Amino acid sequence: MELENKIALGSAGVAVAAAAVAGWQAWLARRSAEAAERQAAAAEAQIVLMSKERDERDSPRFAVISAVIDDDDNGQPIARLEIQQTSGVELRRVQLTASGEYVRGDASPRQWNGSVQGGTVHVELDIEWRHVEPVEFELRFNCVGARDQREWTTHARGRASRVQPSPTGQGASYRAYRQQHHRP
């Protein structure tokens, strides 16, 4: 009987040791899982950061090349703007809104398709009759990328004034300039 007790006692000792090893392995597995979760969270944060950096790098930028106040055919003041996309990816669509103390309504055209890199878009803004020059305005561009449909919102600011004739009478209004350089 003594041998049986020793065997039972030895078996119990082995079982306790196995349980301790199993507990230690469970603790190691839990620590490993926690480390893997931290690594996954860090990888996700890195992906988000890289995506933001890519969006910032690819974001379209616009510049107001010229802004002149002139009268439309009805004698109402309008600001004639020339806008250029100076950087960023190729665009599928651009929607434009304008604001400013003396700006009435939206810009015309309000939307165009495609990029204007290397070229310009001519835009007109209705200006209030009683305005103070220079008229300051802000343009908001809501853009959609041509390749991957990413979206951006970017802004450009400008000032518009009437073109003053030169002392020699050689100066021209924007309307005369446009007639000389009109593209059909």
Side-chain angles (χ1 to χ4, degrees):
M1 183 90 157
E2 201 171 291
L3 182 61
E4 290 176 359
N5 287 341
K6 287 183 180 181
I7 291 175
L9 189 58
S11 295
V14 169
V16 167
V21 168
W24 178 68
Q25 287 178 334
W27 178 80
L28 285 177
R30 188 172 31 253
R31 298 263 306 173
S32 179
E34 289 170 354
E37 286 179 7
R38 284 191 302 272
Q39 287 177 340
E44 286 178 18
Q46 181 67 26
I47 288 170
V48 167
L49 178 62
M50 289 171 54
S51 177
K52 285 182 180 179
E53 288 173 351
R54 186 182 107 189
D55 282 347
E56 181 64 28
R57 180 186 67 239
D58 293 348
S59 176
R61 303 275 192 269
F62 293 89
V64 178
I65 304 301
S66 68
V68 178
I69 296 177
D70 198 5
D71 293 331
D72 66 9
D73 294 335
N74 298 321
Q76 298 296 315
I78 57 172
R80 298 182 194 269
L81 313 178
E82 194 172 356
I83 299 170
Q84 182 178 42
Q85 181 181 345
T86 58
S87 65
V89 298
E90 185 177 339
L91 300 174
R92 171 174 292 211
R93 185 179 67 248
V94 178
Q95 186 172 3
L96 175 64
T97 55
S99 61
E101 184 176 355
Y102 297 109
V103 176
R104 294 185 302 134
D106 285 327
S108 173
R110 291 177 50 178
Q111 180 173 316
W112 64 86
N113 295 323
S115 291
V116 291
Q117 287 181 325
T120 58
V121 172
H122 295 276
V123 175
E124 293 181 355
L125 302 179
D126 290 332
I127 304 295
E128 289 190 16
W129 180 257
R130 295 182 188 264
H131 62 272
V132 176
E133 292 184 26
V135 173
E136 296 184 2
F137 56 87
E138 181 174 4
L139 304 174
R140 177 181 167 151
F141 302 88
N142 294 321
C143 309
V144 177
R147 293 197 179 122
D148 54 9
Q149 303 296 308
R150 285 185 291 164
E151 296 182 6
W152 295 271
T153 299
T154 185
H155 301 266
R157 294 177 183 268
R159 295 175 157 190
S161 298
R162 290 191 183 272
V163 174
Q164 300 298 323
S166 70
T168 62
Q170 299 290 324
S173 68
Y174 184 82
R175 183 178 294 148
Y177 170 83
R178 189 167 171 174
Q179 289 172 350
Q180 290 174 358
H181 299 88
H182 180 67
R183 289 179 244 162

